[in-house]
Amino acid sequence: MAEEQSGAPHQDEAAAKQNIIPGVKHVVAISSGKGGVGKSTVSVNLAVALALTGAKVGLLDADIYGPNIPMMMGVEKPPEQKDGKIAPAESHGVKLISMGFFVPEDTAVVWRGPMVHTAIQQLFRDVLWGELDYLLIDLPPGTGDAQLTLTQLVPLSGAVTVTTPQEVALHDVRKGMMMFQKVNVPLLGIVENMSFFVCGHCGERTEIFSHGGGERAAEKLGIPFLGRVPIDPVIRAGGDTGNPIVVAKPESPQAQAFREIAAKLAAALQTGGVSATKSRIESLLDKIKRPATGR
């Protein structure tokens, strides 16, 4: 089934993608090979950082089973309906939508693939996104139904992978990269989250989760390394209170890290560097696949 998804889309599928969100210039998936790496934290802060540059930004929470974006963006009031459509909520200059607005907080979402597909489709078709420079999609971890649905519905400008520094990061990044490559989505780069910890008392730097796994993965796979984000209680507090660190403490090194990553992402999208990245990925994937095909 996965192989059927590979290759270039048919013309009618491409046309459907072009019509579903015509006012959006760049659609970027924020992904991770596994949970617990801070992908939603990165999504929120990158979205706000891009908005602070004057760009029109949207954030779609496609993590159907664990929608945390409303809390992390400090939005409690659900979106309003307008002419049979949904007007997205707005916070910190970002338009956002999430299943978290429509499912009670203490209710578990137990859905099969077709229901996930329908829900994500409605978050695109039934929401008044308007004109946007960037629409960031916070995906669930792994390579499941939500990822395939997204690639079928909209033309993705590319995907960003969030990881932590451990050596195991290379394995997780590779799996996610191969999934996006199969459906012709270029990878824009890797973000290494929880990269290090700086003691607030003595200033000593500690690499809690090892060092450099994300950068080594990017180098080995031939994709851009977008930057490191330290692990810090202030970042966690910003997510819990709905006040992302890029606005809560804009002059902090942590906020600066997010702004620099956002600038690199914007530059890659605007200068057309995506196609070159895609060709490098395809070349490396051929090398990765050779041992498997030789069995």
Side-chain angles (χ1 to χ4, degrees):
M1 182 66 71
E3 291 297 326
E4 294 176 1
Q5 301 296 339
S6 62
H10 297 296
Q11 290 184 351
D12 55 345
E13 292 176 344
K17 289 182 181 181
Q18 292 171 0
N19 293 331
I20 192 170
I21 45 173
V24 179
K25 294 179 182 178
H26 300 293
V27 184
V28 179
I30 311 295
S31 66
S32 65
K34 63 179 181 178
V37 300
K39 169 185 51 60
S40 294
T41 297
V42 171
S43 298
V44 163
N45 280 281
L46 288 184
V48 177
L50 288 169
L52 289 172
T53 68
K56 297 177 181 178
V57 182
L59 178 59
L60 190 155
D61 186 358
D63 194 345
I64 301 298
Y65 302 109
N68 297 316
I69 295 299
M71 179 182 72
M72 299 179 79
M73 291 289 282
V75 180
E76 298 180 358
K77 184 180 178 181
E80 298 179 354
Q81 289 195 358
K82 182 179 180 181
D83 300 327
K85 297 281 188 177
I86 301 171
E90 292 194 37
S91 180
H92 305 298
V94 176
K95 294 182 178 181
L96 62 132
I97 200 71
S98 169
M99 282 300 298
F101 289 127
F102 311 109
V103 177
E105 185 177 346
D106 57 352
T107 301
V109 176
V110 186
W111 289 351
R112 295 186 183 273
M115 296 181 70
V116 172
H117 177 91
T118 299
I120 294 177
Q121 186 178 54
Q122 288 183 301
L123 294 180
F124 282 110
R125 293 187 184 278
D126 296 343
V127 174
L128 298 170
W129 289 110
E131 299 291 326
L132 294 177
D133 296 303
Y134 308 100
L135 176 60
L136 304 190
I137 315 296
D138 182 37
L139 286 169
T143 55
D145 293 316
Q147 286 80 354
L148 289 176
T149 291
L150 179 62
T151 59
Q152 292 167 350
L153 287 176
V154 294
L156 287 172
S157 301
V160 172
T161 293
V162 180
T163 187
T164 46
Q166 299 99 315
E167 287 295 334
V168 72
L170 176 59
H171 180 68
D172 294 325
V173 168
R174 181 182 298 173
K175 289 190 297 183
M177 183 194 67
M178 291 182 71
M179 185 275 295
F180 282 115
Q181 190 272 341
K182 280 189 175 184
V183 289
N184 296 325
V185 175
L187 200 67
L188 298 173
I190 293 176
V191 174
E192 185 180 275
N193 194 31
M194 307 182 199
S195 185
F196 55 88
F197 171 74
V198 177
C199 178
H201 300 288
C202 66
E204 181 181 357
R205 173 168 165 161
T206 303
E207 271 96 21
I208 298 174
F209 301 114
S210 186
H211 173 73
E215 189 168 12
R216 286 191 295 274
E219 182 179 359
K220 186 168 184 177
L221 299 172
I223 56 180
F225 180 69
L226 297 177
R228 297 182 177 87
V229 178
I231 184 171
D232 193 282
V234 179
I235 297 178
R236 186 273 310 160
D240 288 348
T241 61
N243 202 23
I245 193 168
V246 292
V247 291
K249 294 196 172 184
E251 302 305 320
S252 66
Q254 299 90 335
Q256 180 63 26
F258 281 118
R259 288 198 300 272
E260 290 176 357
I261 293 169
K264 290 179 181 178
L265 177 60
L269 292 168
Q270 294 169 5
T271 59
V274 172
S275 59
T277 300
K278 183 177 178 182
S279 65
R280 291 198 300 273
I281 293 172
E282 290 173 342
S283 174
L284 283 153
L285 274 171
D286 288 339
K287 297 177 183 178
I288 293 170
K289 292 177 181 176
R290 282 171 194 164
T293 56
R295 290 178 182 174

